[in-house]
Amino acid sequence: MEIKSICENKKQFLDLLLLADEQESMIDKYLERGDLFALYDGDLKSVCIVTRESDDVCELKNIATYEKWHGNGYGSKLLHYIFLHYKGKYMTMIVGTGDSPWILRFYEKNGFMVSHRIKDFFIDNYDHPMFDNGIQLVDMIYLSKDLYLV
């Protein structure tokens, strides 16, 4: 298994990034200003993007694993790698996601704690209704992780 930092041609990963954020115009808002990491195990399995939000805070903007590889630990391995990568650079990592039980469990299993909610985020910021497992996403749930404890 190998994790690479990608500095050029980030759009080549768009098909995978769209699994976690299905509107390209939203991805375009953070793709170039973010650090993109790609996890390979033979071939590409998972990617994530992290942005600087302040001197002390970075944000996990997108993390996605090809669906056929879900449940194999690739997302958690990628998270562990970026936790160590950003430890000492930032105090806190935040992530915003839809109010989806399986996604919230993934983040909580990896040490994130629910922080706050932005009402109607998905309704106000996307050009079409967003669904996860048949449930419409409305509010953005933010979680945070203290990187100094990693």
Side-chain angles (χ1 to χ4, degrees):
M1 189 181 72
E2 179 183 18
I3 297 173
K4 296 179 183 177
S5 176
I6 308 297
C7 299
E8 297 178 349
N9 303 318
K10 294 178 183 179
K11 279 274 194 171
Q12 70 180 310
F13 298 94
L14 187 61
D15 66 324
L16 189 49
L17 294 167
L18 285 166
L19 294 178
D21 191 345
E22 64 183 62
Q23 187 168 307
E24 186 174 349
S25 64
M26 293 298 281
I27 294 170
D28 287 341
K29 292 180 180 182
Y30 56 80
L31 181 62
E32 290 308 317
R33 72 179 184 94
D35 299 328
L36 191 146
F37 298 89
L39 183 149
Y40 295 86
D41 191 6
D43 56 357
L44 180 64
K45 300 291 193 274
S46 201
V47 295
C48 72
I49 297 175
V50 179
T51 59
R52 177 188 185 278
E53 299 302 314
S54 72
D55 288 345
D56 295 329
V57 178
C58 62
E59 182 170 353
L60 177 64
K61 287 290 202 177
N62 189 312
I63 184 166
T65 300
Y66 284 117
E67 291 183 34
K68 76 178 198 173
W69 300 110
H70 282 189
N72 288 285
Y74 291 118
S76 294
K77 287 177 180 144
L78 188 52
L79 279 181
H80 182 70
Y81 176 88
I82 64 168
F83 293 157
L84 294 175
H85 180 82
Y86 290 107
K87 181 180 180 173
K89 296 176 186 169
Y90 298 101
M91 296 291 289
T92 305
M93 180 176 286
I94 60 173
V95 62
T97 190
D99 196 355
S100 172
W102 75 274
I103 295 172
L104 292 172
R105 273 194 307 275
F106 167 75
Y107 288 121
E108 289 171 342
K109 178 185 81 161
N110 283 286
F112 284 91
M113 294 175 49
V114 173
S115 167
H116 63 283
R117 171 186 301 256
I118 298 178
K119 284 194 70 57
D120 298 329
F121 179 88
F122 291 97
I123 293 170
D124 294 341
N125 290 283
Y126 284 82
D127 63 11
H128 62 282
M130 303 283 287
F131 291 88
D132 185 56
N133 288 328
I135 299 169
Q136 184 173 359
L137 302 178
V138 177
D139 298 344
M140 172 81 78
I141 309 298
Y142 268 93
L143 300 95
S144 67
K145 180 176 178 70
D146 293 330
L147 294 177
Y148 59 87
L149 298 175
V150 173

